[in-house]
Amino acid sequence: MIDLHTHTDQSDGSDSPPRLVQLAAAHSLEALAITDHDTLAGYDLAAPDAHEAGLELICAIELSTRVERQPGAPRSPSIHLLGYFPDRPPDAGFRDWLSHLQQSRYARNVSLVDKLQSLGIDISLEEVRALGRNLTGRPHFARVLLAKGYVRNTQEAFDLYLADNAKAAVEREEPSVWEGVRRIASAGGLAVLAHPVRLAAEERAGLDGFVESLIDEGLAGVEVFHSEHCAADVDRFLRIARKFSLVITGGSDYHGDNKPGISLATGRDGNLSLPYRLIEEMRTYAERVASI
Ligand code: AMP
Ligand code: ZN
Ligand code: FE
Ligand code: FE
């Protein structure tokens, strides 16, 4: 079994990268991809341990992107792209681009703290960053609000303060989904549309056309298998992947204790069991693209 979609505490998972490697080895996984949000830090920190444990660790990332809506329309929900670099990690240019994204996230976080403070909430950037390490995101803000008793659970923190339309919402500069695909592809990676079940109604309604527009920029695959995909979702996304001869990937989206109910490799209530063959097909696809 393999798992191609996991998070560590370098983004919003709860396990450290070495701990996740230990867990993968204990589950006898044949390969693991760490797909932290907008950072390669999880992969970088896990690589030595994985090597020592004899675990195949695939360099990967999950990028948050957006699509532009008409002026005045509500922002589109974030669209997640997975980037896989099965042969070698991306070059310095890609890493530079990631640090530019980090800066825009940092600026957003500063404004978010200001907005929360102006709403009478006692919160500092330091305490949020202490949870977020390499990538401080809204889930970390939610945990601070919960720990301080401002909300009853983290969902309430989003609903009241942090969601895109909530009281403290601050827009962040995010790359477009097409730019995300281009960046991954030009860094030698395979860009994969993550958990399509979470796409907004507009993209889901015109899914074939949306996928085609991403293929034009270099999209390589679709995440067909995911803890949140029911059997009908899997069928639908499998059909699209086959229609466009795209790579099929899958993973649990494991976040440790931060997403209870999702287990490494086996997903929710054992709804996943992914064969190593998916990685072989990924490599075959990468070789074919490289030879064109
Ligand atoms: P950020 O990248 O810091 O903007 O945070 C994005 C993350 O916040 C997403 O990946 C979700 O985990 C979480 N999130 C965003 N909006 C909501 C929402 N309305 N309800 C619950 N979680 C959300
Ligand atoms: Zn996450
Ligand atoms: Fe995601
Ligand atoms: Fe994820």
Side-chain angles (χ1 to χ4, degrees):
M1 251 198 308
I2 61 169
D3 196 332
L4 295 176
H5 191 156
T6 66
H7 296 270
T8 75
D9 64 2
Q10 297 304 302
S11 65
D12 58 352
S14 66
D15 293 344
S16 69
R19 168 81 192 125
L20 185 55
V21 167
Q22 255 178 19
L23 208 60
H27 281 68
S28 305
L29 289 197
E30 294 160 277
L32 171 75
I34 292 177
T35 53
D36 274 319
H37 299 282
D38 300 333
T39 178
L40 292 166
Y43 166 80
D44 291 338
L45 291 166
D49 291 62
H51 184 74
E52 198 151 304
L55 171 73
E56 182 176 344
L57 182 70
I58 308 240
C59 181
I61 196 162
E62 183 171 22
L63 296 178
S64 297
T65 68
R66 299 253 173 193
V67 298
E68 290 297 324
R69 292 276 190 252
Q70 299 298 328
R75 296 184 84 195
S76 79
S78 188
I79 295 180
H80 288 175
L81 278 180
L82 294 159
Y84 293 101
F85 302 87
D87 295 325
R88 80 190 72 83
D91 59 12
F94 188 79
R95 287 180 185 266
D96 284 351
W97 180 66
L98 291 180
S99 56
H100 165 82
L101 293 183
Q102 290 254 29
Q103 282 160 23
S104 85
R105 179 180 283 276
Y106 179 79
R108 189 280 309 264
N109 289 347
V110 170
S111 310
L112 186 48
V113 166
D114 282 352
K115 252 192 173 162
L116 288 167
Q117 284 176 350
S118 73
L119 292 166
I121 288 175
D122 170 36
I123 192 166
S124 71
L125 193 54
E126 288 64 42
E127 57 193 335
V128 190
R129 290 184 77 187
L131 297 178
R133 294 188 173 79
N134 256 284
L135 187 114
T136 306
R138 284 179 285 168
H140 305 106
F141 280 82
R143 276 161 57 198
V144 171
L145 292 175
L146 175 63
K148 293 190 151 181
Y150 288 109
V151 290
R152 283 167 297 178
N153 52 58
T154 53
Q155 189 56 52
E156 191 174 88
F158 274 96
D159 295 344
L160 290 179
Y161 298 106
L162 305 172
D164 287 348
N165 52 0
K167 275 189 277 194
V170 179
E171 283 201 13
R172 172 163 76 87
E173 189 194 325
E174 276 171 305
S176 80
V177 64
W178 298 279
E179 177 179 9
V181 169
R182 270 198 306 276
R183 295 273 181 181
I184 293 167
S186 62
L190 284 88
V192 172
L193 183 61
H195 42 62
V197 73
R198 284 206 217 149
L199 290 171
E202 267 173 88
E203 280 70 38
R204 254 182 308 147
L207 190 55
D208 288 34
F210 178 59
V211 166
E212 275 187 291
S213 76
L214 297 175
I215 292 173
D216 289 344
E217 305 299 331
L219 186 79
V222 174
E223 188 177 43
V224 170
F225 303 101
H226 183 271
S227 305
E228 287 170 29
H229 288 176
C230 68
D233 296 327
V234 170
D235 279 353
R236 175 150 183 249
F237 304 139
L238 199 54
R239 185 189 63 74
I240 291 206
R242 292 208 174 116
K243 174 174 175 183
F244 296 111
S245 302
L246 293 168
V247 165
I248 290 160
T249 75
S252 64
D253 214 350
Y254 175 79
H255 282 68
D257 297 339
N258 293 342
K259 248 196 209 173
I262 307 290
S263 305
L264 184 64
T266 55
R268 188 184 290 282
D269 301 325
N271 66 350
L272 293 176
S273 172
L274 302 167
Y276 188 80
R277 180 167 46 80
L278 298 183
I279 295 179
E280 287 165 356
E281 286 168 7
M282 206 184 251
R283 291 214 158 93
T284 308
Y285 187 97
E287 279 164 24
R288 205 174 70 224
V289 170
S291 70
I292 294 173

